[in-house]
Amino acid sequence: MLSSRLIADRDFALATLDPRVFGTFVEHLGRCVYGGIYEPGHPTADENGFRRDVLDLTRELGVTIVRYPGGNFLSGYNWEDGVGPKEERPVRLDLAWGTTEPNEFGTNEFMDWCRAAGIEPMFAVNLGTRGPDEARRFLEYCNHPGGTALSDLRRAHGYEQPHDIKFWCLGNEMDGPWQIGQKTAQEYGRIAQETAKVMRLACDGLSLAACGSSHLDMPSYAAWEYQVLDHCFEQVDFISLHQYFKNEEDDIVTYLTSIDHLDLFIREVAAIADSVAAKRRSKKKMMLSLDEWNVWYKAHTPDTLRKPGWPKAPRLLEEIYNFEDALIIGGALITLLNNADRVKVACLAQLVNVIGAIFTETGGPAWRQTIFHPFALASRHGRGEVLRCRVQTESFATKRYPAAPFLVASVVHDPETGGVSVFAMNRSVDEEMQLNADLRGFGDLVLGDAYELHHDDLKAINDKDEERVKPVPHPAASVDGRALFARLKPLSWNLFTLRRAES
Ligand code: AHR
């Protein structure tokens, strides 16, 4: 039996958590839009063609912000194709994914969907085949109240009020050889700078994110971040990070260190951004937007990335998640909480069908993939201030990470409700863990809801007939005054909620 100790004090907060870390992503890719969020004629479809079953699950998932319309799709997309009367919209080839894009769904439909779901939109401008001119025109269409050609065009399309979209990504993965219009860091840094400049001239109050590296192992990683930020540091608020986790060797111990990999990535990008600030004698703190992250490696063959014949909304990137993937997502969420001072936005990629937390059958049901559960619990109970935790635990070793702690944990205190949430993951493959958490400065606490996410079979999946992987009430937790005691199963992700004892 492992024994771990955790100490957190109400007075030692790391940062207030930005709820936008519970974002997701909707790209025109496979069945994410068509057959995912939008399917006119589906038995649950509303008058806009939005699947109500998917809307309900999106709300249950606790999504706060959604990135749109891509992804790689973005870099060949003309926003003008997706607005105005549907029967007049052009059908186009999407070169990013080898499909036919009907443009039945576009900016205004996405805004209607966001309103229906109660979600903030995060838009992206195409800096692959286009540039600052398109960005300013698109922004005028979306956000200007009226009285100009493009804002009046939006009104003529039935949207009298401006959409008021605040968060904008400046392109997508511009360092990637697969990207339409790939750029060097110097080329991209300059375009990002000029695009941000004209967007700020056109509209106040925007949050702008420049593209960082496509992942931590890109050959240009770190140099890319430095050079890009050296150009656009004053114009942008965020640098983006993308990271997909893999278990290609079927080695659970190494797979578990995806969490350490993400933590390293975040800390390094923050350090690079701070070094650019130091060089510029700037006091500005660049924030981080992890605007694509998830597990993705099973649906990564040529056949699952592209189908012949330019099909419309084929099955692409339909990753089926298992219990071990849910553990990784749960652990990564704890990592995001523990970096709440720098990571202010994060988007689980993606929402539905395409590496999605939700899965649907076209014309059929929708259900929760395994990874849905840690995300939904973290979003529901991870609000308020993240406390600085002291964790005492033993560690394990892999080639890349010689001292990875068995216990991965975070404590969040919501000053509004007085509630405390303790997130704890036992990364031992074979040993139970006795967790003793000392929660100081709250007075006497009592245990509220507590959950355990565990399955004896790492490869267990959920499907339309059975939800095998889901949280259950925690079987072994108690609270005495300020101390939480819990027994954590090997390979389990756990959440304990506590509240003040009635005096
Ligand atoms: O999310 C799937 C793809 O992964 C996105 O289109 C791209 O940005 C990334 O490489």
Side-chain angles (χ1 to χ4, degrees):
M1 164 91 71
L2 294 166
S3 168
S4 295
R5 189 153 180 247
L6 181 159
I7 304 167
D9 189 309
R10 185 195 162 137
D11 286 333
F12 293 96
L14 169 73
T16 301
L17 186 79
D18 191 321
R20 293 178 300 176
V21 297
F22 300 115
T24 63
F25 178 28
V26 165
E27 176 168 3
H28 283 248
L29 197 184
R31 297 190 308 124
C32 188
V33 172
Y34 305 107
I37 62 173
Y38 176 77
E39 193 182 329
H42 186 271
T44 71
D46 68 10
E47 65 286 1
N48 292 314
F50 302 153
R51 284 185 64 149
R52 285 200 183 87
D53 54 352
V54 174
L55 271 172
D56 288 344
L57 285 173
T58 302
R59 291 189 202 97
E60 185 185 322
L61 187 59
V63 179
T64 52
I65 189 166
V66 178
R67 182 164 174 255
Y68 174 85
N72 297 341
F73 171 80
L74 170 75
S75 296
Y77 182 57
N78 297 332
W79 65 270
E80 300 88 337
D81 294 345
V83 297
K86 287 195 182 181
E87 58 287 1
E88 291 171 20
R89 296 186 194 173
V91 173
R92 301 269 188 212
L93 292 183
D94 165 27
L95 304 186
W97 299 106
T99 57
T100 297
E101 171 54 53
N103 282 309
E104 287 159 29
F105 188 99
T107 297
N108 295 319
E109 288 77 25
F110 183 68
M111 287 306 304
D112 286 338
W113 183 84
C114 284
R115 288 185 191 105
I119 284 172
E120 181 184 346
M122 176 200 279
F123 268 71
V125 292
N126 171 0
L127 296 186
T129 56
R130 306 185 88 184
D133 188 46
E134 179 253 355
R136 77 182 165 106
R137 288 169 61 83
F138 189 24
L139 188 60
E140 183 182 319
Y141 177 89
C142 291
N143 281 8
H144 197 70
T148 65
L150 288 164
S151 55
D152 286 347
L153 183 64
R154 181 200 67 241
R155 294 167 71 206
H157 290 160
Y159 294 84
E160 182 61 32
Q161 296 306 319
H163 291 318
D164 198 21
I165 300 161
K166 294 288 188 216
F167 201 107
W168 294 82
C169 304
L170 305 174
N172 177 69
E173 294 188 349
M174 300 307 306
D175 60 332
W178 57 87
Q179 201 66 217
I180 297 170
Q182 181 198 5
K183 299 197 166 28
T184 64
Q186 304 293 352
E187 288 165 346
Y188 173 68
R190 283 287 299 130
I191 289 212
Q193 179 186 19
E194 291 305 311
T195 305
K197 187 167 91 187
V198 295
M199 289 178 79
R200 292 207 188 281
L201 289 172
C203 186
D204 291 333
L206 302 180
S207 291
L208 301 178
C211 292
S213 295
S214 296
H215 55 79
L216 178 57
D217 299 308
M218 289 295 287
S220 56
Y221 167 63
W224 173 275
E225 276 74 6
Y226 192 91
Q227 289 165 16
V228 166
L229 284 178
D230 207 19
H231 283 292
C232 62
F233 191 84
E234 306 304 337
Q235 286 79 20
V236 305
D237 310 285
F238 289 85
I239 180 87
S240 77
L241 297 81
H242 288 183
Q243 191 69 39
Y244 291 100
F245 312 120
K246 301 173 171 48
N247 187 15
E248 278 162 336
E249 307 296 321
D250 198 10
D251 166 9
I252 182 65
V253 176
T254 303
Y255 191 31
L256 286 166
T257 60
S258 307
I259 298 160
D260 308 77
H261 211 53
L262 177 63
D263 192 56
L264 176 77
F265 193 15
I266 292 168
R267 287 168 194 272
E268 286 186 350
V269 173
I272 296 163
D274 290 347
S275 74
V276 178
K279 180 192 169 209
R280 306 174 74 88
R281 311 281 189 271
S282 169
K283 292 201 166 37
K284 178 171 173 176
K285 271 263 180 270
M286 185 64 55
M287 293 302 168
L288 274 44
S289 173
L290 179 67
D291 47 39
E292 281 187 38
W293 72 278
N294 203 342
V295 167
W296 176 23
Y297 67 101
K298 287 167 267 185
H300 216 300
T301 62
D303 181 51
T304 53
L305 289 171
R306 234 177 156 88
K307 309 262 185 216
W310 302 97
K312 183 193 151 189
R315 290 180 178 272
L316 295 180
L317 283 59
E318 298 206 348
E319 189 96 354
I320 303 301
Y321 292 108
N322 57 30
F323 169 60
E324 66 184 14
D325 301 331
L327 275 179
I328 300 303
I329 296 305
L333 284 160
I334 294 176
T335 302
L336 292 186
L337 297 179
N338 287 336
N339 286 285
D341 54 333
R342 293 310 284 266
V343 181
K344 299 291 176 185
V345 177
C347 301
L348 184 77
Q350 302 189 4
L351 178 66
V352 51
N353 292 332
V354 174
I355 43 176
I358 300 168
F359 207 85
T360 73
E361 278 309 330
T362 305
W367 61 94
R368 302 167 192 83
Q369 290 237 49
T370 61
I371 61 169
F372 182 102
H373 291 293
F375 189 100
L377 283 175
S379 181
R380 196 170 335 134
H381 298 285
R383 297 300 161 97
E385 293 182 336
V386 180
L387 304 184
R388 291 177 190 276
C389 281
R390 175 144 177 75
V391 170
Q392 292 167 332
T393 180
E394 287 166 64
S395 52
F396 61 99
T398 64
K399 233 189 252 161
R400 193 159 184 172
Y401 295 97
F406 280 118
L407 175 66
V408 175
S410 187
V411 178
V412 184
H413 167 230
D414 186 344
E416 275 179 31
T417 62
V420 180
S421 298
V422 179
F423 297 87
M425 177 174 173
N426 178 5
R427 291 200 286 183
S428 169
V429 290
D430 49 16
E431 279 194 79
E432 281 203 332
M433 178 186 287
Q434 177 60 45
L435 170 68
N436 296 343
D438 183 1
L439 303 167
R440 299 175 179 174
F442 296 101
D444 283 348
L445 294 164
V446 292
L447 191 63
D449 294 332
Y451 305 91
E452 178 186 78
L453 187 63
H454 174 77
H455 200 286
D456 288 337
D457 179 4
L458 285 173
K459 307 296 179 191
I461 62 163
N462 293 344
D463 57 31
K464 66 176 183 312
D465 300 317
E466 194 178 347
E467 192 164 46
R468 298 173 189 86
V469 178
K470 60 182 174 199
V472 297
H474 205 283
S478 62
V479 171
D480 182 9
R482 67 183 200 189
L484 163 72
F485 303 102
R487 189 166 285 209
L488 311 184
K489 291 204 173 105
L491 298 180
S492 66
W493 187 88
N494 309 268
L495 166 61
F496 309 95
T497 70
L498 302 93
R499 56 178 195 279
R500 262 171 192 275
E502 306 286 332
S503 47

